[in-house]
Amino acid sequence: MNNTGINHYLEAAKRAAAWHQQYLKEMKKCRFDTIAVHGIYSMQEALDFNQGSIIEPIYMSTSQAYRDSDEMEAALGYQIPTWCYSRIANPTIYYLEGVLALLEGYGADEDTSCIATASGMAAIQTAVDPFLLPDPKHPSSPVNFVATTQIYGGTFQQFAIRKQKERGVEWRKVIHSHDINEWEKLIDENTRFLYGEMPSNPGQAFFDLSKIIDLAHKHGIPMIVDSTVATPALMRPLALGADIVVQSVSKTLNTSGFGISGAVISRKNLTSNVDNPEMKADFSMYCKTLPNRDNGPNLSPMNAILAINDIRTLRSRVDLQSRSTMTVSKYLENHKHIEQVDYLGLESHPLHKLASEYLWLVDSEFDEQYGEKVNRYGHLMSFRVKGGAQAARDVFDGLQRIWRATDLGRIKSVATIPAISTHSQQGEEGRRLADIPMNLIRLCVGAEHPHDVIADLERALAVLDGKKIKATSPEFSAGGASSATLRR
Ligand SMILES: *Cc1c(COP(=O)(O)O)cnc(C)c1O
């Protein structure tokens, strides 16, 4: 076989890789905002390959053409970087993966990599499935994993139904995630990973992540963290030593609300008791080139560019939304119709101290405005309405500016009643474990002025005084219809 042709491409790929490594090294010296704005898309790449386009181009094309059979062979053998077919890889998706790997890895000593997926749920599946295969040396040993119960409703279903019920993989449930002993008691030699969501949606459960990471590594298993609520602007588990982070990119990262997307970000050389050197060396790349190539849960390039666009302003948005959420939660805390406000930023929250050790606005110490490290607690809060389920529904139905929707991290304020929506499928027992009563309203504060968000809440809460809600928006009065008749 004549290899000179292939060698030409291998050499070219080596030169490109060296250039790219150098570029990444320079990029890593930049601050978070700079990385968020530019990611891995360089002027050089724009001029050489993309007609100078200053914004990352959207490659909707399904596949890549090759110059000759040598290039094709090298590419399809994964010997040179290639995007061959868009289910496996795609330049626009690669830009998203690149920026997320850098942002989640910000401040970490080690290299990180990322695989984008079609949704947050697909990211969770991508992250956990490679660890749940039977052990070839002991094929009849049962496999288990240890995970918190205060998790996103979809994750609860994936773990309880798809893993445990359908596949017989045991989910060992951590109920009080801040209690380290509870985690430790559940681990045995068949445990494949520890998994936690923090802060959790909607309960804002929080645990001492560094200690749980140590616990995982003591047992030779990886720590997987769903960090959707915090985003890399507030917390970066990989820099603390975690092995894998999953993100529902659909949420705060893609705040405009265009499109579902997810991502797995992993450290190189992760800890695992599964005998698979390739997987341990570069987990995201392994998933990309093997399991996800075959399973196909991958993202659309269009959704990738929409996420890339919103990520550019992540830090300042999360700062603004966190400050507004603090203002709103303080208002609600003093309201006579409110039984309890849950927000990690409030000193009254039992986990406030612990959360304050972890949730910092990235680079605030280099910010002209702050000049020191400042805590920020995100945009997710919840409150319990006095008077039970019906009272909560009445208040919820009275909202006019805050949108009633099962969504999170939007640029617009959004509220939901988790017990009848996101967390309805898991049943009463599942909700009890996750502490989600019927009178709990989850509120995600957007980027509106907080006074307008408060005004909407005030109006809605006045329903409990027996006051009628007046329609204030001109759309309603113009049609001569009250909000009440519209609702009917
Ligand atoms: C929404 C969400 C998910 C699932 O993400 P999708 O993009 O909707 O599939 C997972 N985890 C958390 C914390 C979420 O809020």
Side-chain angles (χ1 to χ4, degrees):
M1 194 170 101
N2 176 6
N3 251 349
T4 44
I6 286 194
N7 274 336
H8 165 78
Y9 291 111
L10 297 185
E11 290 303 320
K14 255 191 226 156
R15 284 193 303 275
W19 186 87
H20 187 67
Q21 279 317 108
Q22 187 56 35
Y23 176 80
L24 283 182
K25 221 167 120 192
E26 290 302 316
M27 210 57 218
K28 280 185 189 167
K29 292 182 193 159
C30 295
R31 295 265 175 251
F32 190 90
D33 278 340
T34 312
I35 295 171
V37 168
H38 290 273
I40 59 165
Y41 185 63
S42 60
M43 199 162 359
Q44 182 91 32
E45 181 165 345
L47 294 169
D48 286 355
F49 303 113
N50 292 303
Q51 312 213 36
S53 170
I54 72 161
I55 300 299
E56 295 86 341
I58 312 166
Y59 282 95
M60 292 299 281
S61 175
T62 47
S63 50
Q64 176 186 6
Y66 296 105
R67 289 175 182 83
D68 54 24
S69 55
D70 289 330
E71 191 183 23
M72 180 181 271
E73 186 182 358
L76 276 293
Y78 293 144
Q79 290 176 286
I80 59 172
T82 184
W83 61 277
C84 56
Y85 185 60
S86 209
R87 165 160 47 74
I88 303 163
N90 169 284
T92 309
I93 293 169
Y94 169 74
Y95 300 137
L96 174 64
E97 292 167 338
V99 71
L100 286 176
L102 285 175
L103 294 180
E104 286 289 355
Y106 189 70
D109 304 332
E110 278 166 80
D111 278 349
T112 52
S113 57
C114 170
I115 173 171
T117 55
S119 67
M121 293 319 305
I124 292 167
Q125 184 183 23
T126 298
V128 304
D129 273 5
F131 298 106
L132 297 179
L133 301 169
D135 182 346
K137 289 194 199 106
H138 310 277
S140 55
S141 316
V143 169
N144 73 70
F145 62 96
V146 172
T148 56
T149 45
Q150 287 185 290
I151 47 177
Y152 176 69
T155 314
F156 196 100
Q157 293 302 104
Q158 189 181 117
F159 287 176
I161 311 292
R162 304 309 145 204
K163 308 294 182 234
Q164 180 152 312
K165 193 166 166 208
E166 290 182 355
R167 285 169 49 186
V169 172
E170 187 191 356
W171 171 14
R172 298 197 171 167
K173 297 188 179 75
V174 179
I175 317 265
H176 309 98
S177 62
H178 54 275
D179 179 359
I180 294 167
N181 294 329
E182 219 181 288
W183 292 80
E184 179 138 43
K185 274 192 312 210
L186 297 172
I187 303 172
D188 66 18
E189 69 280 4
N190 295 319
T191 303
R192 294 298 177 78
F193 59 82
L194 306 185
Y195 182 102
E197 184 178 313
M198 133 179 184
S200 70
N201 164 16
Q204 298 165 80
F206 213 88
F207 46 89
D208 200 337
L209 180 57
S210 294
K211 293 211 174 110
I212 304 297
I213 291 169
D214 289 346
L215 183 65
H217 291 169
K218 190 174 102 184
H219 291 272
I221 52 176
M223 177 72 209
I224 305 175
V225 183
D226 182 337
S227 193
T228 299
V229 171
T231 82
L234 298 183
M235 186 177 75
R236 291 164 307 288
L238 299 182
L240 299 170
D243 297 275
I244 297 175
V245 164
V246 292
Q247 283 286 351
S248 168
V249 179
S250 325
K251 308 292 169 51
T252 311
L253 294 170
N254 200 344
T255 192
S256 303
F258 289 128
I260 298 298
S261 40
V264 173
I265 306 99
S266 56
R267 68 164 54 247
K268 303 269 174 81
N269 302 312
L270 53 72
T271 305
S272 168
N273 55 7
V274 175
D275 184 21
N276 185 341
E278 207 178 349
M279 175 186 84
K280 290 195 266 197
D282 188 342
F283 184 80
S284 296
M285 189 51 74
Y286 166 80
C287 292
K288 194 174 190 56
T289 51
L290 296 167
N292 282 23
R293 174 194 70 184
D294 303 337
N295 291 323
N298 298 326
L299 189 61
S300 147
M302 195 65 208
N303 285 14
I305 197 74
L306 293 167
I308 288 169
N309 256 351
D310 279 358
I311 287 168
R312 297 188 217 278
T313 53
L314 179 68
R315 194 187 80 99
S316 46
R317 256 194 300 114
V318 168
D319 183 22
L320 172 68
Q321 283 171 270
S322 299
R323 284 186 282 125
S324 296
T325 311
M326 187 67 113
T327 308
V328 170
S329 65
K330 280 187 175 151
Y331 160 79
L332 286 173
E333 202 177 27
N334 294 314
H335 198 286
K336 62 178 179 187
H337 291 312
I338 301 296
E339 177 184 296
Q340 184 177 325
V341 177
D342 290 305
Y343 183 51
L344 286 169
L346 292 176
E347 279 172 29
S348 58
H349 196 290
L351 297 169
H352 172 75
K353 269 222 177 80
L354 182 62
S356 303
E357 291 174 28
Y358 284 96
L359 299 176
W360 300 97
L361 178 66
V362 63
D363 283 350
S364 54
E365 66 271 41
F366 307 113
D367 193 311
E368 297 248 310
Q369 198 182 343
Y370 302 121
E372 60 178 357
K373 285 186 77 165
V374 297
N375 282 119
R376 289 288 179 265
Y377 301 90
H379 55 79
L380 170 70
M381 62 169 296
S382 63
F383 56 95
R384 300 164 197 223
V385 179
K386 280 183 194 163
Q390 191 54 49
R393 288 175 93 118
D394 290 345
V395 171
F396 186 68
D397 293 346
L399 297 171
Q400 292 174 9
R401 188 76 59 218
I402 299 166
W403 296 70
R404 283 175 290 277
T406 57
D407 212 341
L408 174 93
R410 284 300 143 252
I411 196 82
K412 299 178 176 185
S413 293
V414 172
T416 186
I417 300 179
I420 58 166
S421 58
T422 49
H423 292 67
S424 64
Q425 292 165 358
Q426 69 197 57
E428 212 168 305
E429 176 59 13
R431 284 195 299 275
R432 197 185 56 75
L433 289 176
D435 187 26
I436 299 169
M438 297 299 279
N439 68 334
L440 182 133
I441 295 179
R442 181 186 80 186
L443 173 63
C444 288
V445 178
E448 304 95 341
H449 196 287
H451 294 173
D452 291 324
V453 178
I454 287 173
D456 197 30
L457 288 164
E458 188 156 295
R459 204 164 39 215
L461 283 159
V463 182
L464 301 180
D465 296 325
K467 282 186 198 145
K468 275 223 180 76
I469 317 170
K470 278 221 185 77
T472 50
S473 42
E475 301 87 338
F476 287 147
S477 33
S482 74
S483 57
T485 55
L486 271 180
R487 234 177 281 124
R488 239 179 269 132

